[in-house]
Amino acid sequence: MIKTAIKTKSYAAPGANDQLKPFEIQRREPGPHDVLIDIKFCGVCHSDVHQVKDEWGGARFPMVPGHEIAGIVQTVGEQVTRFKPGDRVGVGCMVDSCKECKSCQEGEEQYCEKRNVLTYNDVELDGKTPTFGGYSERITVNERFVVHIPGNLPLEKAAPLLCAGITTYSPLAHWNAGPAKSVAVVGLGGLGHMAVKIASAMGANVTVISRSLSKKADAERMGAKDYLATSDLSAVEKARGKFDLIINTVSSAADMNTYLDMLKRDGAMVLVGAPGENLPVNPLSLIPKRRSLAGSTIGGMRETQEMLDFCGKHNIAADIEIIPIEKINKAYERLLKSDVRYRFVIDIASLK
Ligand code: NAP
Ligand code: ZN
């Protein structure tokens, strides 16, 4: 068991579907390669809700969610080279990995071939010590899993980049979104709104696919050139064969074939949305146009820093609603109704 020492206030779900409430955890004293971070803000990702509800299975309770962490370095271990006290930093979905396999060596720690350690709802590499996330006052993290937040981005608006930002940047970069590419983003939520801003800054021609027209003006403000409401069946029909790439952020079961039919020949739809259930795919949505259906998870640490630098350069950050931590249960209810423009961010000062 890793020695734990620093008492830390947090909010935890005691069990599946329980309301979150105050809880005390321990953070370890920084080891030689660790950074101790004072958390200032933490974004609320739909993955937090899936996990508190144990929709992906195997959830560990009590659970302190939160993997969109922005804060200030308090102290560093003696061998830390990349950070110093006072630095503005972020932590995303991972806090460790084997660091030796091919994926880790290539900077793709999210695909670690042994096991990466998730920021919460997981155990450290010792196989025993539970990890707790960012709905807490501070966190101790190996420096490899900490990134710098550009000085021009406010911490509260940068926090969602640590998951929503990298989860959309990584597939957009991998599938070469850019000028002359027609990119659609399905679902204008936390991930979706970051995808629109990032893909637009990459130079792609972006269309938002949402269920209704209610988010059209916002989508255009974020850089979308076109907007499609799936409630309008004639618009859906007209969009057949239109896109090179679709980033699908939908968080609950939806008909994948409708979106696949919108791909051009050789187009790809990348699932980043992760409803915890099977989604039927008709082979004839793929075969006639040699389409691909793919998935992608977050991004490696090198790419996470690259994404933050890109967002700094293009002045991109999240559209947020700041909440005190006491409002977290209400925020989960609202998130399930897509009633947020476009990310809740917890002001961690409200914990103190
Ligand atoms: P969110 O803010 O709730 O956004 C999801 C959006 O999906 C909603 O705003 C809504 O958009 C659309 N949607 C929801 N239910 C739908 C349905 N039945 N049919 C069609 N559209 C629907 O959630 P988020 O935080 O962006 O997360 C989205 C998903 O990505 C979650 O499943 C989350 O767990 C997953 N995720 C994956 C990764 C990864 O590494 N792959 C990382 C983070 C999150 P409209 O209102 O515009 O229709
Ligand atoms: Zn997330």
Side-chain angles (χ1 to χ4, degrees):
M1 200 80 162
I2 292 171
K3 207 173 135 238
T4 52
I6 312 168
K7 278 189 185 172
T8 298
K9 287 184 201 160
S10 75
Y11 253 55
N17 284 308
D18 284 349
Q19 298 272 297
L20 278 78
K21 57 183 196 190
F23 182 63
E24 190 178 280
I25 56 172
Q26 305 278 324
R27 295 299 193 188
R28 65 178 185 269
E29 290 285 0
H33 299 283
D34 284 339
V35 176
L36 176 61
I37 301 162
D38 262 333
I39 301 176
K40 299 295 181 196
F41 297 98
C42 185
V44 179
C45 180
H46 206 116
S47 302
D48 300 349
V49 181
H50 289 311
Q51 290 176 93
V52 164
K53 291 178 171 291
D54 196 11
E55 288 173 354
W56 296 341
R60 296 164 187 273
F61 296 97
M63 185 190 298
V64 178
H67 59 206
E68 293 187 337
I69 297 170
I72 304 283
V73 174
Q74 189 186 331
T75 54
V76 299
E78 65 260 25
Q79 290 183 42
V80 168
T81 53
R82 293 172 44 237
F83 299 97
K84 59 179 188 321
D87 283 355
R88 305 161 84 250
V89 293
V91 176
C93 301
M94 291 179 288
V95 288
D96 212 348
S97 71
C98 90
K99 304 186 274 298
E100 285 163 4
C101 72
K102 188 164 181 285
S103 294
C104 285
Q105 283 183 5
E106 290 174 357
E108 303 266 26
E109 299 93 342
Q110 76 279 30
Y111 302 118
C112 176
E113 283 138 48
K114 290 188 182 146
R115 180 169 85 81
N116 52 30
V117 178
L118 300 177
T119 304
Y120 71 89
N121 191 21
D122 204 352
V123 287
E124 299 281 2
L125 289 178
D126 66 2
K128 287 182 268 189
T129 310
T131 58
F132 295 117
Y135 298 4
S136 61
E137 291 174 291
R138 62 182 73 82
I139 189 167
T140 311
V141 183
N142 180 301
E143 72 167 323
R144 177 170 175 151
F145 295 88
V146 182
V147 283
H148 288 280
I149 294 179
N152 59 322
L153 302 181
L155 284 183
E156 61 277 25
K157 293 185 177 183
L161 299 178
L162 275 302
C163 175
I166 185 60
T167 301
T168 51
Y169 180 92
S170 184
L172 286 166
H174 186 82
W175 273 271
N176 300 312
K181 286 287 176 78
S182 179
V183 174
V185 174
V186 187
L188 198 65
L191 266 57
H193 93 293
M194 291 316 311
V196 173
K197 292 184 185 199
I198 292 169
S200 302
M202 287 173 169
N205 194 315
V206 179
T207 299
V208 166
I209 303 175
S210 184
R211 288 167 294 179
S212 73
L213 283 170
S214 65
K215 299 174 179 174
K216 187 165 190 274
D218 288 346
E220 283 164 2
R221 178 176 49 76
M222 290 168 195
K225 296 279 188 303
D226 210 346
Y227 187 97
L228 192 164
T230 50
S231 53
D232 177 351
L233 295 181
S234 68
V236 170
E237 188 57 34
K238 271 194 224 135
R240 290 168 78 94
K242 198 169 167 193
F243 305 113
D244 296 296
L245 175 65
I246 299 178
I247 303 292
N248 191 322
T249 77
V250 172
S251 55
S252 61
D255 179 20
M256 293 297 119
N257 302 295
T258 306
Y259 307 122
L260 285 169
D261 286 341
M262 296 181 189
L263 288 171
K264 290 182 187 170
R265 171 173 62 81
D266 291 327
M269 178 160 85
V270 184
L271 302 182
V272 290
E277 55 195 295
N278 292 335
L279 300 173
V281 171
N282 183 339
L284 293 179
S285 297
L286 296 169
I287 292 169
K289 288 195 183 286
R290 198 164 53 191
R291 294 166 172 141
S292 306
L293 176 61
S296 180
T297 193
I298 47 173
M301 295 317 299
R302 194 166 55 210
E303 192 174 44
T304 304
Q305 188 64 64
E306 177 187 304
M307 175 276 306
L308 283 163
D309 295 344
F310 177 90
C311 289
K313 184 170 159 215
H314 293 274
N315 215 6
I316 292 173
D319 290 14
I320 60 167
E321 178 176 336
I322 296 190
I323 54 162
I325 192 119
E326 314 86 79
K327 294 264 172 72
I328 188 65
N329 296 302
K330 185 78 198 154
Y332 278 15
E333 282 171 30
R334 286 182 51 198
L335 186 54
L336 285 170
K337 291 188 252 168
S338 301
D339 173 24
V340 51
R341 299 285 188 276
Y342 280 87
R343 200 53 139 187
F344 289 115
V345 171
I346 302 165
D347 180 356
I348 295 298
S350 61
L351 250 179
K352 291 169 186 162

